[in-house]
């Protein structure tokens, strides 16, 4: 819809939308103003439970905004920052006494003091309700506590009690250590294979690549999102469109590392070995990664391995893991078992199991008990193998080890969409307005969190997801970190350009993220690229969350390469990113060729090439001026790649990273934003410049790759200079 055709929301609907954090206008990356269509605003309001199409619906919406908090004694969730007093409004019948305290998760009770607060009482549902204000001390400990309120008016009137979640988050997270700089590796694990992989990189390979980098001074290895995919074919190849973000993808299990594999009967062990011999054949080919047959083979092998009896010690370990994970693990495993029988679209399942609390869920889970346990065991094994990979990384000298990547959302027909459906806006998709990545905008086909529902449930789903991911990790990268502040909601069936922003309680989202990272001893990187309000980057920095700086996007006010001295210190700096081709591919213009072939350009391809060659020339000139490439002759492509990495090494950025494709000379993009099956997203194995498949062992066995790796690592460490 062009801006000339946009019909904006009426004033009363717009005011209601603003009150609920829904934007009715926005400014794009180029600073152009856009009005949001009224149809979009009304649809988003409906997704948040407000009918804006009738007078009664709008009145109910305003009642929810103005009077909803007065119907509760205490808010459902209060998020505080350590070291700063927090004020809490409390509502009781007008004139009644009330006491308020925080019950600490470690035990103990901390009373809150009442402070002056003059506000008129309100008539709520036929009774007069007053508001009092209570305040905490500065020194409440970090953690998940419980807020309590109790009113005992006497004279035979009932005692009123209510509680809510009270979270104390760190004021600043930052990086552990002495303030030194670190470098690390970025790898798409599915594409990072060894001679023993089953056609796809696994957690043993993760430990191996971490060892390789750690032995060369690397501090971390950032991998693609490891979230779970579908339990049966067809599997979604995108790690950014998982079924759940809390649990992991069992396709990454190394079968031979499961203890029960060693205790299999001889005939069963031979059967698994025969499957593995067939499965490893693709490891040495440049063919696209085929997840469906790989998972079919692994699932069969896992069922065989799990059929072996467990020792008492192993049985206790499994029971302890299940107790640790609680109902979340059970719900995920049930969804997997149900999806194997009924398909992944839970809205098409029998009525009694369409919700996790459905009348027939227990009976269906009992009928499929073996498969439920299978999926629980898969997660247990993944937990163990992640722990082993992280231990190998730290033993190799890595300061942080594994850094996970957190996807923005989940598949609309996935496990979270079933188990967490009450906190998701199921009629909306998350995406992005037109920007540098895709000039037509993006629709990621993911239902967003409902900010109101998150607060009502104490952010439990968000907390539990973060805890699981961070348990065996040294860091986490938050994809599209703007989603901690606002997300681009697109009504299903609309164009990505016709979406709008919905705001979240960023103090809660960022604070809880920092709290769980602090407890895990991990750092946080926020991908703050795209259409970013400047204050968001400042806020993330103030809370000790690293920003993201990609060389190709760093420019000064004149549109020239941003001088390295002016880059941010608290940031994660790289030359390229998985949404662009590797550096050699960029130099060859792969990003233009792909978008041109797929008709994703919003302007003539000749203009794209002209601007890119100008951009490339500007960067080459910047490299020459700094003496980062030869100045007496034309630099080779490899010298330019090394020079670009030397450039980011000149910046004050605390974290530098190099992509494995740059080390081996690959040119192909892993992902083309804005495409579905038009491009083989997330299916490209690691290959060298000639298209020859590269395994982890080749990094040391092949002299050309070993030399290339040494030179790039030296460049990133700024130990070489022209």
């Amino acid at each position: 819809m062009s801006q000339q055709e946009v019909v904006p929301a009426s004033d009363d609907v717009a005011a209601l939308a603003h009150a609920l954090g829904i934007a009715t206008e926005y400014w794009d990356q180029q600073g152009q103003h856009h009005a949001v269509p009224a149809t979009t605003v009304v649809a988003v309001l409906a997704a948040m439970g407000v009918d804006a199409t009738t007078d009664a619906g709008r009145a109910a919406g305003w009642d929810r905004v103005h009077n909803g908090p007065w119907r509760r004694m205490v808010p459902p969730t209060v998020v505080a920052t350590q070291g700063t007093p927090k004020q809490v409004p409390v509502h009781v019948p007008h004139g009644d006494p009330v006491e308020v305290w925080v019950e600490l998760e470690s035990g103990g009770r901390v009373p809150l003091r009442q402070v002056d607060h003059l506000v008129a009482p309100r008539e709520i549902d036929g009774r007069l309700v007053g508001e009092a204000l209570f305040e905490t001390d500065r020194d409440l400990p970090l953690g998940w506590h419980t807020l309590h309120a109790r009113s005992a008016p006497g004279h035979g009137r009932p005692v009123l009690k209510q509680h809510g979640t009270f979270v104390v988050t760190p004021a600043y997270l930052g990086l552990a250590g002495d303030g030194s700089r670190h470098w690390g590796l970025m790898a798409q694990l599915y594409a990072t294979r060894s001679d023993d992989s089953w056609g796809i990189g696994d957690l043993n390979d993760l430990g191996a690549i971490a060892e390789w980098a750690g032995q060369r001074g690397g501090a971390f290895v950032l991998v693609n999102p490891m979230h779970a995919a579908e339990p049966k074919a067809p599997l979604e190849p995108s790690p950014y469109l998982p079924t759940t973000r809390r649990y992991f993808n069992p396709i990454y299990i190394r079968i031979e590392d499961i203890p029960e594999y060693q205790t299999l009967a001889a005939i069963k062990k031979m059967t698994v070995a025969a499957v593995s011999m067939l499965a490893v054949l693709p490891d040495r080919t440049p063919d696209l990664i085929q997840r469906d047959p790989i998972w079919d083979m692994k699932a069969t092998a896992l069922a065989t391995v799990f059929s072996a009896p467990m020792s008492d010690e192993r049985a206790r370990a499994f029971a302890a893991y299940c107790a640790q994970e609680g109902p979340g693990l059970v719900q995920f495993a049930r969804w997997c078992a149900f999806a194997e029988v009924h398909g992944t679209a839970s809205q098409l399942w029998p009525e009694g199991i369409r919700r996790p609390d459905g009348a027939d869920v227990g009976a269906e889970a009992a009928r499929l008990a073996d498969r439920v346990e299978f999926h629980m065991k898969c997660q247990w094994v993944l937990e163990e193998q992640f722990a082993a990979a992280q231990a190998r990384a730290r033993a190799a000298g890595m300061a942080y080890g594994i850094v996970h990547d957190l996807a923005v959302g989940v598949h609309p027909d996935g496990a979270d969409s079933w188990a967490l459906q009450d906190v998701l806006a199921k009629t909306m998709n998350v995406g992005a307005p037109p920007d540098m990545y895709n000039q037509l905008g993006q629709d990621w086909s993911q239902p967003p969190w409902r900010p109101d529902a998150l607060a009502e449930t104490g952010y439990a789903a968000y907390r539990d997801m973060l805890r699981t991911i961070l348990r065996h990790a040294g860091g986490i990268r938050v994809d599209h970190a703007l989603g901690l502040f606002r997300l681009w909601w697109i009504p299903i069936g609309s164009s990505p350009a016709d979406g709008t922003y919905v705001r979240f309680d960023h103090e809660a989202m960022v604070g809880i993220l920092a709290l769980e990272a602090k407890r895990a001893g991990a750092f946080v990187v926020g991908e703050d690229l795209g259409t970013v309000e400047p204050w968001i980057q400042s806020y993330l920095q103030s809370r000790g969350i690293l920003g993201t700086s990609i060389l190709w996007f760093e420019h000064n006010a004149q549109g020239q390469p941003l001088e390295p001295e002016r880059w941010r210190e608290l940031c994660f700096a790289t030359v390229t990113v998985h949404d662009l081709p590797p550096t050699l591919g960029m130099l060859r213009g792969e990003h233009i060729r792909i978008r041109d072939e797929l008709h994703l350009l919003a302007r003539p391809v000749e203009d794209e090439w002209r601007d890119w060659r100008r951009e490339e020339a500007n960067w080459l000139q910047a490299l020459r001026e700094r003496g980062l490439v030869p100045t007496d002759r034309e630099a080779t492509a490899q010298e330019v790649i090394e020079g670009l990495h030397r450039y980011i090494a000149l910046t004050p950025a605390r974290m530098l990273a190099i992509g494995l494709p740059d080390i081996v000379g690959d040119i192909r993009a892993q992902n083309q934003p804005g495409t579905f099956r038009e491009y083989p997203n997330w299916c490209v194995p690691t290959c060298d410049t000639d298209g020859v498949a590269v395994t982890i062992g080749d990094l040391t066995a092949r002299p050309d790759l070993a030399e290339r790796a040494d030179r790039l690592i030296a460049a990133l460490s700024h130990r070489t200079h022209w």
Side-chain angles (χ1 to χ4, degrees), residues 74-75 78 80-81 83-90 98-102 109-117 131-140 147-148 166 168:
V74 295
V78 175
T81 302
T84 302
K86 183 71 175 182
Q87 294 187 336
V88 181
V90 180
V98 63
E99 59 176 334
V100 184
W101 69 95
V102 170
R109 169 173 166 161
V110 179
L112 273 63
R113 60 180 178 275
Q114 189 169 357
V115 298
D116 290 339
H117 182 61
E131 180 178 86
L133 195 63
F134 287 77
E135 187 175 75
T136 67
D137 291 326
R138 296 176 181 272
D139 56 355
L140 283 180
L147 176 68
H148 291 272
F166 195 96
V168 180

Side-chain angles (χ1 to χ4, degrees), residues 1 6-9 13 17 22-24 35-47 428 488-491 494-502:
M1 179 182 295
V6 168
V7 177
V13 171
I22 302 166
T24 59
V36 175
T39 52
T40 297
V41 175
V42 169
V44 173
L45 281 166
M428 294 286 138
W488 186 253
W489 287 26
I490 308 165
S494 296
S495 162
D498 289 333
T500 190
Y501 285 109
V502 175

Side-chain angles (χ1 to χ4, degrees), residues 638-651:
Q638 181 58 27
E639 289 168 343
V640 173
I641 294 170
E642 292 173 15
L644 292 169
H645 285 85
R646 290 190 189 96
Y647 195 92
I648 65 172
L650 290 177
T651 74

